[in-house]
Amino acid sequence: MTITQPDLSVFETLESEVRSYCRGWPTVFDRARGSRMYDEDGHTYLDFFAGAGSLNYGHNNPVLKRALIDYLERDGVTHGLDMSTTAKRAFLESFQNLVLRPRDLPYKVMFPGPTGTNAVESALKLARKVKGRESIVSFTNAFHGMSLGSLAVTGNAFKRAGAGIPLVHGTPMPFDNYLDGQVPDFLWFERLLGDQGSGLNQPAAVIVETVQGEGGINVARPEWLRSLADLCARRDMLLIVDDIQMGCGRTGAFFSFEEAGIVPDIVTVSKSISGYGLPMSLCLFKPELDIWEPGEHNGTFRGNNPAFVTAAAALEAYWSDGPAMEKQTLERGQQIQEALGALVDEHRPEIKEFRGRGLVWGVEFHDKARAGAIARRAFELGLLIETSGPEGEVVKLLPALTITPDELDEGLRTLTRAVRETA
């Protein structure tokens, strides 16, 4: 594909140096539909990025778009803070009937603000309020957001350094397989908790991702998650599952922790909960934890009613027919797994391993710079993929759940070509 030089002058002269994704994809996008994006010069790109996981149902999904247009055309409430509206009621009813009740989950629903990091901040605040303690335990290579509380439980040194102040009251522990299976699970954690001389204050909560997306597609085993839930219950710590990127069907089931058979005390949800890429997040928690005073955590944009509309439409369209969506996602995941297995066989000395669940996969290279070169070549070939891991050493695949088998095959063939051409 021939890429003409786009006019990026206004972005380069006026926009802050903090911008990042646009540097890897130097074009000006104009339209998007399903799993395709189009730049202003008419070039087509297959999207294996999906808005960093916020577009599980693809770009401009026609069912969700129709619901949104109808709502706007009848002058439905756009901005409602935490006022009761018909749009919020419809979402809450759909969420209760299609997500919570079928899974026998007792959660109360909190709208903390429109971003994932806001959901995490509210979860940390609530855990500390309930337990009366400050300390939160997180895990190596975790990523929970870019605000100060979320950064304090994030592992990445580069992101933490951006805070500009000490990040306190967070203690990291080894994630599953961090020590290559040489140490029994939670041996260090248990020892610190039981030793009055360890220096670890009794934590209010533990926060964990079942699959670490930004951390390099590190997949926690179900038995590890069950052991963590048991440890939290025995040691009087709340368990927070950050399901912001891996929830809403990304790993197969609606919540990524379902496979492990656990029920976290608190769950954070964002990204694809609106279904359409509109800002929205939830903090879910067991009813006995709902000790908030009115207005104790709030936000001007926690009432994004257009997001409620598309969220309800997404639930009705994709989660009202039992296991169909989960089954489709797992089938697509199997398609990726087989293709990546063949890729590893072809490039075994160069590829360290591949790993994933559902429709999130990563390919790790021994040469840490290789992943970035592959992503750049993939862009030139018309495929959008990003890298993850502490040193960007993992090629990350995050296609929409609605991608067709043919589109998935096309993208995997393009990825294979990019790997070959960067060898």
Side-chain angles (χ1 to χ4, degrees), residues 281-292:
S281 73
L282 307 176
C283 185
L284 313 175
F285 39 82
K286 293 179 178 178
E288 61 269 25
L289 304 181
D290 193 11
I291 63 171
W292 292 112

Side-chain angles (χ1 to χ4, degrees), residues 69-330:
I69 289 172
D70 289 347
Y71 182 77
L72 295 175
E73 284 186 337
R74 71 169 185 80
D75 292 332
V77 173
T78 299
H79 181 271
L81 293 158
D82 69 356
M83 292 182 284
S84 300
T85 64
T86 55
K88 184 195 282 190
R89 180 172 60 197
F91 166 73
L92 285 170
E93 290 174 346
S94 294
F95 192 70
Q96 182 177 48
N97 294 332
L98 300 177
V99 176
L100 297 182
R101 279 181 178 159
R103 293 161 180 80
D104 197 26
L105 294 172
Y107 296 132
K108 298 290 288 291
V109 178
M110 174 182 176
F111 299 98
T115 66
T117 196
N118 200 311
V120 170
E121 295 284 357
S122 66
L124 300 180
K125 283 173 63 174
L126 180 60
R128 288 167 169 144
K129 180 178 173 68
V130 168
K131 293 300 183 183
R133 310 178 203 133
E134 295 82 21
S135 178
I136 304 288
V137 165
S138 57
F139 291 95
T140 50
N141 288 314
F143 178 76
H144 295 290
M146 297 297 281
S147 50
L148 293 180
S150 299
L151 281 174
V153 291
T154 287
N156 186 282
F158 173 77
K159 293 181 172 65
R160 289 174 62 89
I165 63 170
L167 297 169
V168 297
H169 306 309
T171 302
M173 291 291 166
F175 191 72
D176 190 15
N177 204 40
Y178 184 75
L179 299 172
D180 300 319
Q182 298 180 30
V183 178
D185 294 339
F186 306 113
L187 177 65
W188 175 242
F189 196 178
E190 287 262 28
R191 181 66 181 271
L192 292 179
L193 288 170
D195 183 357
Q196 293 299 309
S198 71
L200 176 65
N201 294 333
Q202 172 66 20
V206 175
I207 185 167
V208 67
E209 304 155 274
T210 65
V211 181
Q212 294 182 327
E214 297 302 309
I217 317 302
N218 305 312
V219 182
R221 293 167 295 141
E223 56 267 32
W224 187 86
L225 292 168
R226 286 192 289 269
S227 295
L228 176 60
D230 176 69
L231 174 60
C232 288
R234 286 188 288 108
R235 293 289 189 170
D236 188 32
M237 302 178 295
L238 296 178
L239 176 60
I240 304 169
V241 168
D242 180 342
D243 230 10
I244 287 167
Q245 188 168 82
M246 298 303 155
C248 302
R250 175 54 57 182
T251 64
F254 188 87
F255 294 111
S256 70
F257 56 80
E258 292 182 51
E259 181 189 29
I262 62 174
V263 180
D265 297 294
I266 304 175
V267 182
T268 59
V269 182
S270 188
K271 288 196 182 283
S272 276
I273 188 61
S274 81
Y276 203 72
L278 298 175
M280 179 178 172
S281 73
L282 307 176
C283 185
L284 313 175
F285 39 82
K286 293 179 178 178
E288 61 269 25
L289 304 181
D290 193 11
I291 63 171
W292 292 112
E293 296 291 335
E296 195 170 11
H297 186 93
N298 56 31
T300 303
F301 295 102
R302 65 195 185 279
N304 185 357
N305 281 256
F308 298 156
V309 170
T310 54
L315 295 178
E316 296 290 344
Y318 294 102
W319 297 98
S320 61
D321 53 356
M325 192 68 192
E326 179 178 355
K327 181 174 181 289
Q328 175 179 296
T329 297
L330 295 177

